[in-house]
Amino acid sequence: MSVFLQMRGITKTFPGVKALDRVNLSVAKGEIHALVGENGAGKSTLMKILSGVYPAGSYEGEIHYDGALAQFRDISDSEDQGIIIIHQELALVPLLSIAENVFLGNECARHGVIDWQATNKRTEELLKKVGLKEAPTTLVDKLGVGKQQLIEIAKALSKKVRLLILDEPTAALSESDSQALLNLLLELKQQGVTSIIISHKLNEVRRVADTVTVIRDGTTVSTLDARREAISEDAIVRDMVGRDMAHRYPERQRRAGDMLLEVSDWNVWHPEHAERQVIKSANLTVRAGEVVGIAGLMGAGRTELAMSLFGQSYGRNISGNVRIRGKTVDVSRVDRAIDAGLAYVTEDRKSLGLILEETIQRNVTLANLEGVSSGGVLNENEETQVSEKYRQAMNIRTPSVFQKVMNLSGGNQQKVVLSKWLFAEPEVLILDEPTRGIDVGAKFEIYGIINELSEQGKGVLMISSEMPELLGMCDRIYVMNEGALVGELSAGEASQERIMSLIVTE
Amino acid sequence: MALAESQDSAEQKGIGKYLLANLREYGLLFALIAIMVFFQIVTGGTLLRPVNITNLLLQNSYIIIMALGMLIVIVSGNIDLSVGSVMGFIGALAAVMIVNHEINWLVTIVVCLAVGGLIGMAQGYWVAYWKIPSFIVTLAGMLVFRGLSLWLLEGQSVGPFPKEFQTIANGFVPDIFPAAIGESLTSVFDARKVNVLALLTGLAAAALVVWGGLHNRARNRAYGVEDEPFGFFVLRISIISAALVFIMFKLSTFRGLPNVLITMGVLTIIYAFLTERTVIGRRIYALGGNHKAAKLSGIKTERLTFLAFLNMGILAAAAGLVFAARLNTATPKAGFALELDVIAAVFIGGASMSGGVGKIVGAVVGAFLMGVLNNGMSIMGIGIDYQQMIKGLVLLAAVIFDVYNKSKQG
């Protein structure tokens, strides 16, 4: 088995963060190589280096591809060499036909004039290869996600692919679509295509992969060869999560009080694809003073659950019951949810949480302008006092509350979002990835704020993709997978292995 | 000694930084002054003659009234292309009601404002609740209401209006003070006559500007907010108050305060207060700044958008009444392409195309800037061809200045 691709000692640093630290990856010709690891472990960064998104020179280490040293300047450079990457978010243009999409950027044209006969004919051949019977002129819009994924592969084939990289290809697919895709991968392997597949679904990995490389915290942990010995899912999970948990989380008096939030039989359907149920009959509770976590992989439906609870900001045909302190409350609109005592700190603070052009002061008071006004007229003095109070309490590092939010660091921005919601005086705070993209010091401060909230008797529902964070902070953890809460673990019984195994064993 | 020096240099650095951060607001004010001085010189003093100042106010009144509404629409992240047509349509409606059907002019005014509100609601409904881009909805509105005024007037001009109606635009506030005071002042100011009310209004307005400025400064100091350097403050406040007194003095030596000036002034103060000091105003800025974040903060974004258009409709109707009263006739062409002047005024005044940024005072100054350009160039006898080109370039320059400024602050 000859080595087709070898990435040696790849190190990539972003300002302040070492995303990859001497990662090695070796892929043999004609195999299916699985790359697994937690969210944020560095898988995508590694693939971006391989495909030239991060050009040669922006990282350390060497890439040997097909026997030669490769130094890709950009994506088209790597595509010319037959390396095609298919991202999790599909890059198809919905209102163009299949044929137009397949040959987008690579048109069968002569002097800029497209030869439609050739385009359609070649598309038809490619579609046959990936097992689709659609006409090349069908609009991509009309196809389901599974078929769109196959179109992406057809597009890759049109470019004479030699190394196919798939990032979470089955994340959005149904069971049968996933099977079809995996079968196609095995077929392509017969035809000599080498592929790298990034996946969280370990059963699928076991089914198709010849080799598995586990990445954790930006380093290669292990490489397992399925052809030599059967790989157990347990072994992979252990390698994925096995890091030490030092005292990165401040201590808290844990005491759960009265029942605060009860959600029962919560169902949500996708806003555009009416047939897809995103949240499946979820039941959860949060007590006063409790920090409750929701663990799960990307796409498990955690954000969707939170946003649908918060004034139906996501989804449609929402059904279910929400009670706060035993009383059924109306959460059908954001202002009603806020009145009922809910607050939602978004995972995407820049586009959903803040008005970047505005000052700290104006962001802090936004969700509770009534609190700084009388008869609809703002009292700016009071507004300044309030925001100043939060600036000090939260330790937002800025000379004054009249700074524009866009000039703050991620950690300080997050503190502004938290201030905004604390000023709205909620009973239950839903924190969606509260420490995403902020540095270690600020993380510790945010944990401190969360602890303080719980000591004040507020309920906290915390969504996080960082399992150590959940384990370090939560009294109880729900595990979510494919829209359903598949397990509930108390702080005592929870471990990364148990959470992972709840996710991967469906 | 050394300490004093270092303080001095720190202050200077502060002034430079402050000027850079507030270049836009000062720039606009100074541009207006520079343009006025320029035209005052090249027109040999005609620009600032009392009769011409009165004219300037009357000519631009309807633009300014609409700019108030347009600013809110643009800050909310939308645009309204229909205001010129709506204005024309309301003028036509007023003419048909008063002239053809002899309906009482007061009743007509109420009906016209209500119809303007309905038009705003009709357009706002599609924009707010159906998420149809405002550009398209109001482009359609522009055609529809242009057509409606043609239909209503049957292609003819309708007029004249009764005297009472005309006074909306062309009337003056009578001097409430005894004529003797005015006469005694004529010798002091060496003028033919002096309207005491106008003069006092000017002084009162100037006093208000000074008081407001000082109050704001005191508040800033109390909360430790970085303030405008004192020299700048004095300069800015004295220019504004001197200008107010000067203009009012000029007006007082002619026919006094135009009714329209009162309408404009009152509306400007109301809308400045509404946008800067009220909850609903703040929410409109939030909506335009980031509508998703606003929505997730519990703000009813749809209703706010709807209200912005409703308000625009009423103001366009008010402008239509003023315009018709001023011309003393309603013509099918009334208000043609006027929406562009209104939008230009708002952008020159510093509003951002993407929403969330802009001030009422900026829009009013922007409108005056365009008005002075129009007026000055007309007095100079510059042809309409050059006028259009110059106005276009001024708009472009103002916006380029904005973008450049923003990238500088980065």
Side-chain angles (χ1 to χ4, degrees), chain B residues 43 374-387:
Chain B
T43 60
N374 274 335
N375 184 278
M377 289 191 291
S378 300
I379 296 171
M380 282 173 71
I382 294 177
I384 189 81
D385 43 1
Y386 287 105
Q387 285 197 26

Side-chain angles (χ1 to χ4, degrees), chain A residues 103-144:
Chain A
F103 287 97
L104 193 64
N106 186 24
E107 289 83 359
C108 310
R110 213 163 227 267
H111 310 301
V113 179
I114 293 178
D115 181 348
W116 286 112
Q117 280 76 20
T119 303
N120 287 334
K121 192 161 174 300
R122 284 182 57 193
T123 305
E124 218 164 308
E125 289 162 11
L126 290 167
L127 289 181
K128 207 179 288 168
K129 272 195 194 166
V130 298
L132 280 179
K133 294 185 190 68
E134 265 70 17
T137 50
T138 315
L139 294 190
V140 164
D141 206 21
K142 302 261 181 290
L143 306 177

